[in-house]
PDB file of all heavy atoms in Angstrom:
ATOM      1  N   VAL A   1     140.940  31.932  83.728  1.00  0.00           N
ATOM      2  CA  VAL A   1     141.400  32.753  84.840  1.00  0.00           C
ATOM      3  C   VAL A   1     140.350  32.795  85.912  1.00  0.00           C
ATOM      4  O   VAL A   1     139.244  32.216  85.766  1.00  0.00           O
ATOM      5  CB  VAL A   1     141.789  34.178  84.384  1.00  0.00           C
ATOM      6  CG1 VAL A   1     142.917  34.093  83.359  1.00  0.00           C
ATOM      7  CG2 VAL A   1     140.607  34.917  83.806  1.00  0.00           C
ATOM      8  N   LEU A   2     140.643  33.421  87.026  1.00  0.00           N
ATOM      9  CA  LEU A   2     139.709  33.481  88.174  1.00  0.00           C
ATOM     10  C   LEU A   2     138.402  34.109  87.733  1.00  0.00           C
ATOM     11  O   LEU A   2     138.384  35.141  87.053  1.00  0.00           O
ATOM     12  CB  LEU A   2     140.334  34.301  89.306  1.00  0.00           C
ATOM     13  CG  LEU A   2     139.641  34.259  90.627  1.00  0.00           C
ATOM     14  CD1 LEU A   2     139.809  32.880  91.286  1.00  0.00           C
ATOM     15  CD2 LEU A   2     140.188  35.334  91.557  1.00  0.00           C
ATOM     16  N   PRO A   3     137.236  33.526  88.097  1.00  0.00           N
ATOM     17  CA  PRO A   3     135.944  34.048  87.646  1.00  0.00           C
ATOM     18  C   PRO A   3     135.492  35.218  88.464  1.00  0.00           C
ATOM     19  O   PRO A   3     134.519  35.168  89.233  1.00  0.00           O
ATOM     20  CB  PRO A   3     135.021  32.860  87.829  1.00  0.00           C
ATOM     21  CG  PRO A   3     135.578  32.113  88.986  1.00  0.00           C
ATOM     22  CD  PRO A   3     137.062  32.267  88.844  1.00  0.00           C
ATOM     23  N   ALA A   4     136.204  36.358  88.341  1.00  0.00           N
ATOM     24  CA  ALA A   4     135.830  37.595  88.992  1.00  0.00           C
ATOM     25  C   ALA A   4     136.196  38.736  88.033  1.00  0.00           C
ATOM     26  O   ALA A   4     137.364  38.892  87.720  1.00  0.00           O
ATOM     27  CB  ALA A   4     136.584  37.771  90.307  1.00  0.00           C
ATOM     28  N   ALA A   5     135.198  39.461  87.533  1.00  0.00           N
ATOM     29  CA  ALA A   5     135.410  40.434  86.458  1.00  0.00           C
ATOM     30  C   ALA A   5     135.182  41.838  86.940  1.00  0.00           C
ATOM     31  O   ALA A   5     134.151  42.164  87.525  1.00  0.00           O
ATOM     32  CB  ALA A   5     134.459  40.117  85.298  1.00  0.00           C
ATOM     33  N   ILE A   6     136.174  42.692  86.678  1.00  0.00           N
ATOM     34  CA  ILE A   6     135.984  44.128  86.856  1.00  0.00           C
ATOM     35  C   ILE A   6     135.359  44.665  85.550  1.00  0.00           C
ATOM     36  O   ILE A   6     135.942  44.475  84.472  1.00  0.00           O
ATOM     37  CB  ILE A   6     137.333  44.800  87.145  1.00  0.00           C
ATOM     38  CG1 ILE A   6     137.888  44.332  88.472  1.00  0.00           C
ATOM     39  CG2 ILE A   6     137.157  46.354  87.163  1.00  0.00           C
ATOM     40  CD1 ILE A   6     139.325  44.760  88.745  1.00  0.00           C
ATOM     41  N   VAL A   7     134.184  45.264  85.681  1.00  0.00           N
ATOM     42  CA  VAL A   7     133.447  45.725  84.508  1.00  0.00           C
ATOM     43  C   VAL A   7     133.242  47.257  84.633  1.00  0.00           C
ATOM     44  O   VAL A   7     132.692  47.702  85.657  1.00  0.00           O
ATOM     45  CB  VAL A   7     132.105  44.997  84.391  1.00  0.00           C
ATOM     46  CG1 VAL A   7     131.237  45.580  83.260  1.00  0.00           C
ATOM     47  CG2 VAL A   7     132.347  43.525  84.168  1.00  0.00           C
ATOM     48  N   ILE A   8     133.672  47.996  83.625  1.00  0.00           N
ATOM     49  CA  ILE A   8     133.611  49.457  83.676  1.00  0.00           C
ATOM     50  C   ILE A   8     132.876  49.992  82.460  1.00  0.00           C
ATOM     51  O   ILE A   8     133.351  49.848  81.328  1.00  0.00           O
ATOM     52  CB  ILE A   8     135.061  50.034  83.695  1.00  0.00           C
ATOM     53  CG1 ILE A   8     135.912  49.386  84.766  1.00  0.00           C
ATOM     54  CG2 ILE A   8     135.025  51.549  83.859  1.00  0.00           C
ATOM     55  CD1 ILE A   8     137.387  49.632  84.583  1.00  0.00           C
ATOM     56  N   PRO A   9     131.693  50.577  82.643  1.00  0.00           N
ATOM     57  CA  PRO A   9     131.016  51.225  81.515  1.00  0.00           C
ATOM     58  C   PRO A   9     131.907  52.311  80.934  1.00  0.00           C
ATOM     59  O   PRO A   9     132.535  53.098  81.670  1.00  0.00           O
ATOM     60  CB  PRO A   9     129.766  51.821  82.139  1.00  0.00           C
ATOM     61  CG  PRO A   9     129.532  50.996  83.356  1.00  0.00           C
ATOM     62  CD  PRO A   9     130.887  50.656  83.870  1.00  0.00           C
ATOM     63  N   ILE A  10     132.038  52.368  79.609  1.00  0.00           N
ATOM     64  CA  ILE A  10     133.038  53.239  78.995  1.00  0.00           C
ATOM     65  C   ILE A  10     132.628  53.588  77.595  1.00  0.00           C
ATOM     66  O   ILE A  10     131.800  52.890  76.957  1.00  0.00           O
ATOM     67  CB  ILE A  10     134.409  52.535  79.021  1.00  0.00           C
ATOM     68  CG1 ILE A  10     135.546  53.515  78.868  1.00  0.00           C
ATOM     69  CG2 ILE A  10     134.482  51.411  77.996  1.00  0.00           C
ATOM     70  CD1 ILE A  10     136.893  52.918  79.199  1.00  0.00           C
ATOM     71  N   ARG A  11     133.193  54.627  77.057  1.00  0.00           N
ATOM     72  CA  ARG A  11     133.039  54.939  75.658  1.00  0.00           C
ATOM     73  C   ARG A  11     134.197  54.351  74.878  1.00  0.00           C
ATOM     74  O   ARG A  11     135.350  54.396  75.350  1.00  0.00           O
ATOM     75  CB  ARG A  11     132.971  56.472  75.435  1.00  0.00           C
ATOM     76  CG  ARG A  11     131.815  57.152  76.130  1.00  0.00           C
ATOM     77  CD  ARG A  11     131.763  58.614  75.666  1.00  0.00           C
ATOM     78  NE  ARG A  11     133.079  59.289  75.805  1.00  0.00           N
ATOM     79  CZ  ARG A  11     133.516  59.874  76.927  1.00  0.00           C
ATOM     80  NH1 ARG A  11     132.759  59.880  77.996  1.00  0.00           N
ATOM     81  NH2 ARG A  11     134.691  60.453  76.955  1.00  0.00           N
ATOM     82  N   ARG A  12     133.934  53.835  73.713  1.00  0.00           N
ATOM     83  CA  ARG A  12     134.951  53.186  72.906  1.00  0.00           C
ATOM     84  C   ARG A  12     136.160  54.087  72.633  1.00  0.00           C
ATOM     85  O   ARG A  12     137.309  53.631  72.627  1.00  0.00           O
ATOM     86  CB  ARG A  12     134.380  52.737  71.580  1.00  0.00           C
ATOM     87  CG  ARG A  12     135.285  51.900  70.729  1.00  0.00           C
ATOM     88  CD  ARG A  12     134.557  51.427  69.465  1.00  0.00           C
ATOM     89  NE  ARG A  12     133.531  50.469  69.784  1.00  0.00           N
ATOM     90  CZ  ARG A  12     133.632  49.145  69.562  1.00  0.00           C
ATOM     91  NH1 ARG A  12     134.706  48.660  69.004  1.00  0.00           N
ATOM     92  NH2 ARG A  12     132.630  48.356  69.873  1.00  0.00           N
ATOM     93  N   ASP A  13     135.887  55.396  72.482  1.00  0.00           N
ATOM     94  CA  ASP A  13     136.996  56.288  72.163  1.00  0.00           C
ATOM     95  C   ASP A  13     137.924  56.550  73.365  1.00  0.00           C
ATOM     96  O   ASP A  13     139.004  57.127  73.191  1.00  0.00           O
ATOM     97  CB  ASP A  13     136.494  57.646  71.596  1.00  0.00           C
ATOM     98  CG  ASP A  13     135.568  58.373  72.570  1.00  0.00           C
ATOM     99  OD1 ASP A  13     135.465  57.964  73.741  1.00  0.00           O
ATOM    100  OD2 ASP A  13     134.972  59.385  72.165  1.00  0.00           O
ATOM    101  N   GLU A  14     137.543  56.111  74.540  1.00  0.00           N
ATOM    102  CA  GLU A  14     138.415  56.249  75.719  1.00  0.00           C
ATOM    103  C   GLU A  14     139.535  55.224  75.715  1.00  0.00           C
ATOM    104  O   GLU A  14     140.534  55.382  76.429  1.00  0.00           O
ATOM    105  CB  GLU A  14     137.613  56.090  77.018  1.00  0.00           C
ATOM    106  CG  GLU A  14     136.736  57.291  77.357  1.00  0.00           C
ATOM    107  CD  GLU A  14     136.182  57.129  78.762  1.00  0.00           C
ATOM    108  OE1 GLU A  14     136.964  57.311  79.715  1.00  0.00           O
ATOM    109  OE2 GLU A  14     134.990  56.801  78.908  1.00  0.00           O
ATOM    110  N   VAL A  15     139.361  54.115  74.960  1.00  0.00           N
ATOM    111  CA  VAL A  15     140.362  53.057  74.980  1.00  0.00           C
ATOM    112  C   VAL A  15     140.734  52.722  73.532  1.00  0.00           C
ATOM    113  O   VAL A  15     140.518  51.575  73.081  1.00  0.00           O
ATOM    114  CB  VAL A  15     139.858  51.806  75.746  1.00  0.00           C
ATOM    115  CG1 VAL A  15     139.910  52.058  77.240  1.00  0.00           C
ATOM    116  CG2 VAL A  15     138.446  51.458  75.309  1.00  0.00           C
ATOM    117  N   PRO A  16     141.314  53.672  72.790  1.00  0.00           N
ATOM    118  CA  PRO A  16     141.699  53.373  71.399  1.00  0.00           C
ATOM    119  C   PRO A  16     142.693  52.225  71.368  1.00  0.00           C
ATOM    120  O   PRO A  16     143.622  52.154  72.191  1.00  0.00           O
ATOM    121  CB  PRO A  16     142.306  54.683  70.936  1.00  0.00           C
ATOM    122  CG  PRO A  16     142.760  55.374  72.175  1.00  0.00           C
ATOM    123  CD  PRO A  16     141.751  55.003  73.246  1.00  0.00           C
ATOM    124  N   GLY A  17     142.478  51.337  70.426  1.00  0.00           N
ATOM    125  CA  GLY A  17     143.418  50.211  70.258  1.00  0.00           C
ATOM    126  C   GLY A  17     143.085  49.017  71.109  1.00  0.00           C
ATOM    127  O   GLY A  17     143.718  47.947  70.946  1.00  0.00           O
ATOM    128  N   ALA A  18     142.111  49.107  71.991  1.00  0.00           N
ATOM    129  CA  ALA A  18     141.748  47.930  72.818  1.00  0.00           C
ATOM    130  C   ALA A  18     141.116  46.847  71.940  1.00  0.00           C
ATOM    131  O   ALA A  18     140.346  47.137  71.005  1.00  0.00           O
ATOM    132  CB  ALA A  18     140.756  48.350  73.925  1.00  0.00           C
ATOM    133  N   VAL A  19     141.415  45.626  72.237  1.00  0.00           N
ATOM    134  CA  VAL A  19     140.780  44.489  71.579  1.00  0.00           C
ATOM    135  C   VAL A  19     139.310  44.481  71.922  1.00  0.00           C
ATOM    136  O   VAL A  19     138.933  44.568  73.081  1.00  0.00           O
ATOM    137  CB  VAL A  19     141.443  43.181  71.955  1.00  0.00           C
ATOM    138  CG1 VAL A  19     140.653  41.968  71.429  1.00  0.00           C
ATOM    139  CG2 VAL A  19     142.878  43.112  71.445  1.00  0.00           C
ATOM    140  N   ALA A  20     138.445  44.424  70.916  1.00  0.00           N
ATOM    141  CA  ALA A  20     137.028  44.496  71.111  1.00  0.00           C
ATOM    142  C   ALA A  20     136.330  43.192  70.703  1.00  0.00           C
ATOM    143  O   ALA A  20     136.745  42.533  69.740  1.00  0.00           O
ATOM    144  CB  ALA A  20     136.423  45.684  70.358  1.00  0.00           C
ATOM    145  N   VAL A  21     135.272  42.863  71.415  1.00  0.00           N
ATOM    146  CA  VAL A  21     134.497  41.680  71.139  1.00  0.00           C
ATOM    147  C   VAL A  21     133.074  41.920  71.541  1.00  0.00           C
ATOM    148  O   VAL A  21     132.825  42.759  72.440  1.00  0.00           O
ATOM    149  CB  VAL A  21     135.117  40.457  71.881  1.00  0.00           C
ATOM    150  CG1 VAL A  21     134.924  40.588  73.390  1.00  0.00           C
ATOM    151  CG2 VAL A  21     134.528  39.139  71.404  1.00  0.00           C
ATOM    152  N   THR A  22     132.111  41.216  70.954  1.00  0.00           N
ATOM    153  CA  THR A  22     130.703  41.381  71.356  1.00  0.00           C
ATOM    154  C   THR A  22     130.262  40.179  72.158  1.00  0.00           C
ATOM    155  O   THR A  22     130.814  39.087  72.085  1.00  0.00           O
ATOM    156  CB  THR A  22     129.834  41.510  70.116  1.00  0.00           C
ATOM    157  OG1 THR A  22     129.776  40.271  69.439  1.00  0.00           O
ATOM    158  CG2 THR A  22     130.319  42.621  69.169  1.00  0.00           C
ATOM    159  N   ALA A  23     129.214  40.425  72.963  1.00  0.00           N
ATOM    160  CA  ALA A  23     128.633  39.354  73.737  1.00  0.00           C
ATOM    161  C   ALA A  23     128.117  38.227  72.847  1.00  0.00           C
ATOM    162  O   ALA A  23     128.229  37.030  73.211  1.00  0.00           O
ATOM    163  CB  ALA A  23     127.495  39.887  74.595  1.00  0.00           C
ATOM    164  N   GLU A  24     127.624  38.551  71.690  1.00  0.00           N
ATOM    165  CA  GLU A  24     127.112  37.522  70.764  1.00  0.00           C
ATOM    166  C   GLU A  24     128.274  36.644  70.271  1.00  0.00           C
ATOM    167  O   GLU A  24     128.090  35.434  70.142  1.00  0.00           O
ATOM    168  CB  GLU A  24     126.404  38.174  69.582  1.00  0.00           C
ATOM    169  CG  GLU A  24     125.074  38.846  69.912  1.00  0.00           C
ATOM    170  CD  GLU A  24     125.278  40.215  70.637  1.00  0.00           C
ATOM    171  OE1 GLU A  24     126.427  40.758  70.607  1.00  0.00           O
ATOM    172  OE2 GLU A  24     124.314  40.732  71.183  1.00  0.00           O
ATOM    173  N   GLU A  25     129.412  37.237  69.982  1.00  0.00           N
ATOM    174  CA  GLU A  25     130.568  36.465  69.551  1.00  0.00           C
ATOM    175  C   GLU A  25     131.053  35.521  70.652  1.00  0.00           C
ATOM    176  O   GLU A  25     131.405  34.384  70.401  1.00  0.00           O
ATOM    177  CB  GLU A  25     131.699  37.403  69.127  1.00  0.00           C
ATOM    178  CG  GLU A  25     131.402  38.113  67.823  1.00  0.00           C
ATOM    179  CD  GLU A  25     132.328  39.287  67.553  1.00  0.00           C
ATOM    180  OE1 GLU A  25     132.970  39.793  68.510  1.00  0.00           O
ATOM    181  OE2 GLU A  25     132.436  39.693  66.369  1.00  0.00           O
ATOM    182  N   VAL A  26     131.037  35.995  71.894  1.00  0.00           N
ATOM    183  CA  VAL A  26     131.415  35.161  73.029  1.00  0.00           C
ATOM    184  C   VAL A  26     130.439  33.977  73.158  1.00  0.00           C
ATOM    185  O   VAL A  26     130.887  32.827  73.373  1.00  0.00           O
ATOM    186  CB  VAL A  26     131.432  35.972  74.336  1.00  0.00           C
ATOM    187  CG1 VAL A  26     131.763  35.082  75.533  1.00  0.00           C
ATOM    188  CG2 VAL A  26     132.469  37.092  74.240  1.00  0.00           C
ATOM    189  N   ALA A  27     129.168  34.241  73.028  1.00  0.00           N
ATOM    190  CA  ALA A  27     128.156  33.180  73.173  1.00  0.00           C
ATOM    191  C   ALA A  27     128.279  32.135  72.133  1.00  0.00           C
ATOM    192  O   ALA A  27     128.026  30.943  72.350  1.00  0.00           O
ATOM    193  CB  ALA A  27     126.756  33.799  73.163  1.00  0.00           C
ATOM    194  N   ARG A  28     128.742  32.512  70.925  1.00  0.00           N
ATOM    195  CA  ARG A  28     128.848  31.573  69.803  1.00  0.00           C
ATOM    196  C   ARG A  28     130.177  30.765  69.811  1.00  0.00           C
ATOM    197  O   ARG A  28     130.352  29.812  69.104  1.00  0.00           O
ATOM    198  CB  ARG A  28     128.741  32.278  68.468  1.00  0.00           C
ATOM    199  CG  ARG A  28     127.347  32.841  68.153  1.00  0.00           C
ATOM    200  CD  ARG A  28     127.260  33.201  66.677  1.00  0.00           C
ATOM    201  NE  ARG A  28     128.236  34.204  66.284  1.00  0.00           N
ATOM    202  CZ  ARG A  28     128.001  35.487  66.222  1.00  0.00           C
ATOM    203  NH1 ARG A  28     126.814  35.961  66.519  1.00  0.00           N
ATOM    204  NH2 ARG A  28     128.925  36.359  65.827  1.00  0.00           N
ATOM    205  N   PHE A  29     131.109  31.203  70.642  1.00  0.00           N
ATOM    206  CA  PHE A  29     132.498  30.726  70.520  1.00  0.00           C
ATOM    207  C   PHE A  29     132.606  29.240  70.753  1.00  0.00           C
ATOM    208  O   PHE A  29     133.250  28.525  69.948  1.00  0.00           O
ATOM    209  CB  PHE A  29     133.377  31.476  71.491  1.00  0.00           C
ATOM    210  CG  PHE A  29     134.869  31.126  71.374  1.00  0.00           C
ATOM    211  CD1 PHE A  29     135.587  31.589  70.296  1.00  0.00           C
ATOM    212  CD2 PHE A  29     135.462  30.328  72.304  1.00  0.00           C
ATOM    213  CE1 PHE A  29     136.934  31.255  70.193  1.00  0.00           C
ATOM    214  CE2 PHE A  29     136.805  29.987  72.194  1.00  0.00           C
ATOM    215  CZ  PHE A  29     137.532  30.477  71.139  1.00  0.00           C
TER     216      PHE A  29
END
């Protein structure tokens, strides 16, 4: 997709059920 990311600092409990991933997992993919 277009390389422009909206990034919002957040607490995990604010988005229950959201798919989660770590930067390390992305780097290894």
Side-chain angles (χ1 to χ4, degrees):
V1 298
L2 191 71
I6 296 170
V7 174
I8 309 165
I10 200 167
R11 298 189 310 274
R12 186 177 292 255
D13 60 9
E14 287 189 73
V15 284
V19 171
V21 68
T22 69
E24 291 76 14
E25 289 166 341
V26 175
R28 291 195 300 264
F29 183 75

